[in-house]
Amino acid sequence: MENNDTYTISKFKAATQCKCPRCRTGKIFEGSVFRLKGQKMNKNCPHCGLKFEMEPGFFYVAMFVSYALSVAQFVAVCIAVSVLSGGSESPWLYLTACLLTAVILAGFNFRYSRVIQLYWLAPNLRFNKKYYGEAYKK
């Protein structure tokens, strides 16, 4: 059994697992990334009680992050389609590939754009070691 004082989950690992940025223990979202009913974000961290949407409109910046993720995905998909199709010039092939990418990765973009905003674009939100692990009780 590991001692809670000597080990904490890394920032990158906590972000990829969609854990709370303050305690790195509670989950930000319910369900999986590719949930068919849509993404459901918790209002507060179930572990430390952090309110994720700190002020009205807090996640507007996440739209820009999601846009950047989508553009990177579209460029990668278009390059892959070009290589795999032997340099096809059909715009319908590229449009279809980009639309499929947008639909399939919509949940991923929604989720990780908010995680990126919480972890790296919120200047007043930091990890607090006293909330980490199962020992903390509200």
Side-chain angles (χ1 to χ4, degrees):
M1 184 175 202
E2 292 182 5
N3 187 353
N4 190 23
D5 295 330
T6 60
Y7 174 76
T8 57
I9 189 171
S10 72
K11 186 176 188 177
F12 182 75
K13 187 173 181 181
T16 57
Q17 293 176 358
C18 298
K19 301 288 186 178
C20 171
R22 182 169 74 175
C23 67
R24 295 184 188 171
T25 304
K27 292 185 177 183
I28 298 173
F29 293 92
E30 295 177 7
S32 68
V33 175
F34 298 108
R35 185 176 170 186
L36 292 178
K37 290 184 177 181
Q39 299 292 316
K40 173 125 175 47
M41 183 174 183
N42 294 322
K43 293 196 183 297
N44 297 330
C45 174
H47 183 73
C48 69
L50 173 71
K51 184 177 178 185
F52 293 123
E53 189 169 5
M54 294 168 216
E55 58 189 38
F58 179 74
F59 286 114
Y60 283 148
V61 174
M63 290 188 301
F64 297 109
V65 175
S66 178
Y67 175 75
L69 289 173
S70 295
V71 167
Q73 292 161 358
F74 293 159
V75 168
V77 164
C78 287
I79 290 171
V81 166
S82 176
V83 168
L84 293 174
S85 69
S88 174
E89 294 181 9
S90 171
W92 296 109
L93 178 63
Y94 294 100
L95 182 64
T96 303
C98 286
L99 286 175
L100 283 173
T101 301
V103 169
I104 292 170
L105 295 178
F108 175 87
N109 289 342
F110 174 80
R111 181 176 288 222
Y112 284 100
S113 64
R114 289 181 176 222
V115 169
I116 288 169
Q117 182 181 356
L118 285 170
Y119 271 86
W120 289 284
L121 300 176
N124 58 347
L125 192 56
R126 300 277 181 251
F127 172 65
N128 192 335
K129 197 170 186 171
K130 77 175 185 177
Y131 296 114
Y132 178 74
E134 299 301 321
Y136 175 72
K137 299 291 181 203
K138 286 190 255 182

